[in-house]
Amino acid sequence: MIKKVLGVFLFLIGLILLISILSSVLQMILIEEKDIIGQDESYVVGYYSGKIILILIFCFINFNCFKYGYRLMRGKRNTKENEGIETIGKN
């Protein structure tokens, strides 16, 4: 039961991070940054490369939250072994 609750919690954290990533990317694309207007070109390149690196780190964390959250929510499943040629006639 605790694993399922932890899985739901991780899944919700993943959703919140997904919304944060999407809003950050849309802000980078659509809204002009007023902090970097009139700055040196190397400052602008560093600013955007830092934002891109942080977005990639958040994507990795988000992927892991979804992956492990789904695993914990799903729990253990009893799967049947498929019968192969070696098992035919043994029953």
Side-chain angles (χ1 to χ4, degrees), residues 3 10 27 29-30 33 60 68 73 81:
K3 287 184 179 181
L10 281 174
Q27 181 183 7
I29 293 172
L30 299 176
E33 298 285 339
F60 178 72
Y68 292 116
M73 278 192 311
E81 292 185 24

Side-chain angles (χ1 to χ4, degrees), residues 52-74:
I52 290 171
I53 288 171
L54 281 176
I55 287 172
L56 291 176
I57 290 171
F58 273 104
C59 285
F60 178 72
I61 293 170
N62 193 18
F63 171 74
N64 285 329
C65 282
F66 279 133
K67 177 180 161 183
Y68 292 116
Y70 181 70
R71 277 188 189 173
L72 291 173
M73 278 192 311
R74 188 179 64 188

Side-chain angles (χ1 to χ4, degrees), residues 22-85:
L22 289 176
S23 68
S24 178
V25 169
L26 288 175
Q27 181 183 7
M28 265 178 53
I29 293 172
L30 299 176
I31 298 175
E32 184 178 352
E33 298 285 339
K34 297 187 189 241
D35 297 339
I36 60 173
I37 294 176
Q39 296 289 336
D40 190 25
E41 187 176 329
S42 62
Y43 178 81
V44 174
V45 170
Y47 180 80
Y48 281 119
S49 64
K51 278 189 114 173
I52 290 171
I53 288 171
L54 281 176
I55 287 172
L56 291 176
I57 290 171
F58 273 104
C59 285
F60 178 72
I61 293 170
N62 193 18
F63 171 74
N64 285 329
C65 282
F66 279 133
K67 177 180 161 183
Y68 292 116
Y70 181 70
R71 277 188 189 173
L72 291 173
M73 278 192 311
R74 188 179 64 188
K76 291 186 179 181
R77 304 274 183 193
N78 294 332
T79 58
K80 287 185 172 181
E81 292 185 24
N82 292 335
E83 290 187 13
I85 292 177

